[in-house]
Amino acid sequence: MAAFSNSITRLFSTDYPIVQAGMVWASGWRLASAVSNAGGLGLIGSGSMYPEVLREHIRKCKQATTRSFGVNVPLLYPDIDKHMQVILDEGVRIVFTSAGNPKTWTPLLKQHGITVVHVVSSSKFAVKSQEAGVDAVVAEGFEAGGHNGREETTTMVLTPAVANAVSIPVIAAGGIGSGRAMAAAFALGAEGVQVGSRFVATPEASSHINFKEAVVKAGEGDTLLSLKQLTPVRLLRNAFFDEVRRAELSGAGTEALAALLGRGRAKRGMFEGNLEEGELEIGQVSALIRDIQPAADVLQHIWEEFNTVRKRLAEAGA
C-alpha cells in the first residue's frame, strides 16, 4: 500500500491516517503494535490497566514495533496521576485523553513534548480542547461503542460541526469500520479516522473469543446506549443490559444503578467472556462486522476500499 501524507500522518509519523482506538480490555500491546507495524497508529487502552500493567504493555509495545504508538487515558478512571507518571517515565510520545477536562493534563504533557489528542462529543468541547492546547481532536459520534456523549449527536452531524468549529485536525470516530465510512468521514471534513469495534474482532485484541464472536454475530439494533444517569455507555444486549433497562424503567436512581453495575462488570464480559452477566461495550458498526481478521488485514482493507471509493467519486465527477 502506498504511503499517504496529510496533517494526521505527519502529526503521528504514520503511513495512513487510521487510528486504532484505545479500548478497555481489547487494546493491549499486541493490538497496538500490530496496527502500528501495518502503518496506522496503535493505541494502548489504559482504562482497564493498573499503572504497573500499563508500564508492562508500553515496554512490550516498544519491543514489538519501531513505529509510532500511543496511550489512551480515560480521565474519569482512578489513578490517572499514576498513569500519567508511567507515560512520562516510559517516554510515550502520543497520548489520547477522553472523558474529562483536557485542561487538567494537556499542559504537563505538552511540556514534555508529547502530542496530545482529546476525544470530544460536541463542537463546544472541541473548541475547549483547542483552547487547552491539544494537537488534534477526535469527534466521536453517538454510534461509537463504550462511553459516549450525552448529546447523542451522530458522526454524520458531529464531524462537520467540529471541523467547522476548530482549526486543528479532526479525526472522526463512531460507526467507522470500513473504507466507505472513512471516505464519508473525509467528505465531512475529517483528516483521519479512529476505528474501534472493527479492531475488537481481530486475533490481536485482548478481548475474550466469546466476546469477539458475539460482535461478529451482532445485527442492527443489538446495541443501545445505557446507564445514562451514570456515564452513558453503548452496550450489546444481554441479560445484564436487560437488568439495567428494567431498573431504569422502574425509576432507579444513580446509587441503585451503580450498585447494579458493581465492580469488574466490563472485565467479566469483554475479557473473561461471560456474555450474560458481563458488560459488553461495542459500537453500532458491529452489525457490519462478519469475521475475525488480523489487524493488519483490517487496516489494509479499510485503506484499499477508501482509495477505491475516492477514485470512483473522482471519476464520477470528471
Side-chain angles (χ1 to χ4, degrees), residues 88-236:
L88 296 178
D89 291 345
E90 296 300 324
V92 174
R93 307 312 305 161
I94 300 171
V95 171
F96 279 51
T97 55
S98 59
N101 186 348
K103 291 183 179 180
T104 306
W105 289 102
T106 298
L108 175 65
L109 296 172
K110 296 297 293 180
Q111 285 174 18
H112 286 80
I114 296 173
T115 297
V116 182
V117 182
H118 193 66
V119 181
V120 301
S121 58
S122 72
S123 55
K124 179 180 73 175
F125 289 132
V127 171
K128 289 183 179 297
S129 298
Q130 179 173 266
E131 292 172 347
V134 305
D135 297 284
V137 291
V138 175
E140 185 177 72
F142 175 63
E143 301 93 326
H147 293 292
N148 217 309
R150 297 182 184 277
E151 298 86 356
E152 301 189 10
T153 306
T154 64
T155 304
M156 183 70 75
V157 174
L158 180 63
T159 302
V162 171
N164 289 341
V166 299
S167 58
I168 55 178
V170 176
I171 300 166
I176 300 172
S178 67
R180 289 181 295 172
M182 181 176 175
F186 271 58
L188 295 170
E191 296 180 71
V193 293
Q194 178 173 281
V195 178
S197 298
R198 187 62 192 90
F199 281 117
V200 169
T202 62
E204 296 92 342
S206 52
S207 312
H208 197 282
I209 186 61
N210 292 352
F211 179 47
K212 296 178 186 180
E213 291 177 348
V215 169
V216 169
K217 294 175 183 176
E220 298 168 50
D222 284 346
T223 70
L224 287 171
L225 206 63
S226 187
L227 294 167
K228 294 181 184 180
Q229 294 184 56
L230 297 176
T231 303
V233 60
R234 181 170 295 281
L235 301 177
L236 194 63

Side-chain angles (χ1 to χ4, degrees), residues 11-42:
L11 183 64
F12 300 141
S13 297
T14 58
D15 294 335
Y16 314 109
I18 301 172
V19 178
Q20 162 253 309
M23 303 163 287
V24 295
W25 302 116
S27 304
W29 69 269
R30 288 185 178 86
L31 179 57
S33 61
V35 172
S36 291
N37 283 331
L41 179 68

Side-chain angles (χ1 to χ4, degrees), residues 283-294:
Q284 285 183 341
V285 75
S286 56
L288 301 176
I289 300 171
R290 287 294 168 262
D291 53 15
I292 297 172
Q293 293 184 7

